[in-house]
Structure formats: structure tokens, C-alpha cells
Amino acid sequence: MDLQRYERQIRIFGKEGQEKLKNAKVFIGGAGGLGGVISLYLVAAGVGRIRIVDHDTIKLSNLNRQILYTDGDLGKRKPDCAKERLKVVNPGVEVEALAETINENSINKLVANFDLIVDALDNFPGRYLLNRGAHANNIPLFHGAVEGFFGQATTIIPWQTACLKCIFPTAPTPSVVPIIGSFCAIIGCIQATEVIKYITGTGMLLKNKLLMLDGLNSTIEEIEVQKNLMCEDCRKG
Amino acid sequence: MQEGVDRILKIKVKFFASFREVFQVREREVDLQSGSNMRDLLNLLCDSPKRLEQIFNGGDLKPYLAILKNGKHIYHLNGLETRLDDGDTVVIFPPAGGG
């Protein structure tokens, strides 16, 4: 292990924590605004294995926030460029980037054998699939979403905490939402921080808590959320 | 409180995201008559056409809104007929969906 590379964070959670990061396998659904920031920071932190999945190609309108990509990447597949960029950031991390669609048929295969799932998608139907995949495979899910200067994040431990369906039982209609890159990065960084805390066993997680960020008014507030005992996705039995 | 006298419910309402702009406040306390439900609360809050159209679609709630009573989405309770009790906290916002 390259101790010098991680020296500043080893001061927080020790060599043992760094070893846990090295042994962790993280699945990231989406290589856009959130997924780009999340993957960059997890790779830089030395997470051992990353699988990032996105079926899109890079468009000019992505570049205000999707910082994995540059003008030279226009028209190329996101996972290909993401892998190239992430390998440069930290060659010691195993990065697998797949141009696949996350759907009912693929979700369990995609997340199987991973330790964590990060929600970096741009739509709720896809997020519900991650939620179901997380519960079917008993893998924690790290949710984040952004719209304009507003965003939310929470950490879902399957069968224990409120799940995405408990908190958001109905999906917003898919639409092209306004997003500013700097604010998207804040939400992504909160998710990446939750992931690092979970893996290293550091600090308190956003369990049963929805973190509400308001960039317009520069406020951050927690909302307590409760599990729905009759939830279609996380009801026991 | 005397028997037979209507109790007043004090409900804390918190707005997030764009609803802070729509309702021009982050948080307020609302007094309601005993026996009031979520529909009564929302009708009281929606005192302009602009506010009404953010919350309602005809007589129904806009389906994607997050409206939580003490941390539980009212979709899992009794929807607009969800009964309110003194000291309840209601959180209202349109969830962010992008990424």
C-alpha cells in the first residue's frame, strides 16, 4: 500500500482504515454530474475496486458539471472516458466502467459481490431499481440527488433504515432539470464522504436522516425520516 | 383544557427547496382546530393560486411531492385525510431528481 499517498487520511482512520478502503468494492450507478465527483474522490481515497455504469455518450451540455470529461471527449461513451480519467488519478485502483443499462434484468447481476451501491443516477425509476437491488443483495445504498441549488442525501442500510421507497414513494416525472456543477459536486462529495465513513467505520452516517441542502440560502438541515413497515421494497417477510 | 372546549393544535411546518421561495418562509407554526387533517393544513397554507398549483392538481395532491408528518410520508399514512395532532412537524418539499 502506498502509505505516502494516503498519509493525510491515515491520520484520521489509521492504516487499518486505509486497508478497509483498499479491500472495498463500490458500485456507482451513473457517470454524470454526481457519479463523476463521487468516483474521483473514491478513487483518490484508494477504494480498491470501482464499478461505474452508464450507457450515455458525452454531450456538450454535460460539461458544466460532469468534470470527468472535456471537449475532446464529445460523442465518446462516458464509461470509456471515465475509466481513462480515473486510472490517471490513481493507477492503484481497479476501475471497471460498463456501458450498460440498469434495468430489472441487469440490476442484480451488476451489483452482485459489491459492498456498497452509490446512487448517482438522474431519475427516480432508476433509483428505485438500485433500492431494490440493494435490498435483494443486502448492500447499503448511498442516495443523492440535485436540482438547481437544492439537493438531498441519505444513507440506506437494507432492512434497517427507511429505504428510498419509504421516503419517496412516488417518482417525480422525469425531466431535464436545471443543475449547477458546483452544487452537484457538494451533493456528490457528501455521498462520497458517507461511503468513506461507512467503509472505515468513522463517524455517524445519515441513517434515517435526509440531509437537505439549500445552496440559495446556504443552509444544511437534517430531516428525521421513518421506515414504512408496509413498504413494498423493504417490508420484512 | 376544559371539557367541551375546542383544543388548538400547534403544528410546525418546514419548507425546503423551491417551496421556501413559493411560501416565502423556511418554517412557521400554524394553529388548527382539533380534529384537523392534512387537507385542512394545506388549504390554509395555500392562500394564493400560485401556492395552490404547487401543491394540488385539482382536488388531489401533486403525486411526487414529499409531505412528511413526523418523518413519515403521508402516502403511507392516510394521504390528505391524515389526522394532525398537537406538536406534529410537517415537512413539505419537491424532491430533487437530477444527478
Side-chain angles (χ1 to χ4, degrees), chain A:
Chain A
M1 190 160 58
D2 187 348
L3 296 181
Q4 201 175 349
R5 177 187 284 266
Y6 305 117
E7 188 261 340
R8 293 296 187 96
Q9 62 195 47
I10 285 173
R11 289 167 185 256
I12 302 171
F13 39 66
K15 288 180 191 169
E16 191 184 313
Q18 192 61 47
E19 195 65 35
K20 288 178 180 169
L21 284 173
K22 189 186 171 196
N23 292 331
K25 294 170 284 182
V26 178
F27 174 91
I28 304 173
L34 292 173
V37 170
I38 294 162
S39 59
L40 277 170
Y41 278 101
L42 294 185
V43 162
V47 166
R49 184 174 169 206
I50 301 271
R51 174 181 283 176
I52 187 162
V53 176
D54 199 311
H55 62 245
D56 275 347
T57 53
I58 298 157
K59 303 172 192 70
L60 190 57
S61 62
N62 297 153
L63 299 186
N64 78 318
R65 64 195 183 282
Q66 301 190 14
I67 56 166
L68 286 174
Y69 317 120
T70 65
D71 281 68
D73 297 326
L74 292 175
K76 294 180 184 170
R77 298 196 311 180
K78 285 185 185 177
D80 298 340
C81 297
K83 181 172 182 172
E84 207 172 297
R85 173 95 169 91
L86 294 170
K87 289 303 286 183
V88 173
V89 171
N90 190 347
V93 172
E94 185 186 336
V95 178
E96 187 186 9
L98 305 176
E100 288 200 27
T101 303
I102 298 170
N103 58 35
E104 288 282 0
N105 297 324
S106 66
I107 180 66
N108 286 325
K109 182 170 59 81
L110 286 170
V111 302
N113 301 317
F114 277 78
D115 303 316
L116 302 89
I117 300 173
V118 188
D119 165 14
L121 296 177
D122 61 359
N123 66 89
F124 263 85
R127 289 186 163 100
Y128 291 148
L129 288 170
L130 294 184
N131 191 52
R132 286 204 284 279
H135 285 80
N137 297 278
N138 207 21
I139 305 170
L141 172 64
F142 299 79
H143 163 73
V146 65
E147 193 154 339
F149 277 105
F150 310 110
Q152 79 244 351
T154 189
T155 292
I156 295 160
I157 310 298
W159 314 110
Q160 292 179 31
T161 65
C163 81
L164 210 59
K165 267 280 184 183
C166 298
I167 306 170
F168 303 115
T170 53
T173 313
S175 61
V176 177
V177 303
I179 300 184
I180 185 133
S182 59
F183 196 71
C184 191
I186 291 175
I187 302 291
C189 283
I190 285 170
Q191 291 176 272
T193 305
E194 285 287 289
V195 166
I196 291 167
K197 281 159 55 186
Y198 178 86
I199 295 170
T200 58
T202 311
M204 300 290 285
L205 296 165
L206 289 169
K207 294 195 279 190
N208 289 321
K209 286 176 182 153
L210 191 62
L211 198 67
M212 302 295 296
L213 290 97
D214 177 343
L216 271 187
N217 294 294
S218 301
T219 64
I220 303 179
E221 208 169 317
E222 277 180 9
I223 301 174
E224 299 286 335
V225 286
Q226 283 190 49
K227 192 173 172 64
N228 170 30
L229 297 177
M230 301 303 288
C231 178
E232 60 189 277
D233 278 11
C234 72
R235 177 180 53 204
K236 283 186 177 168

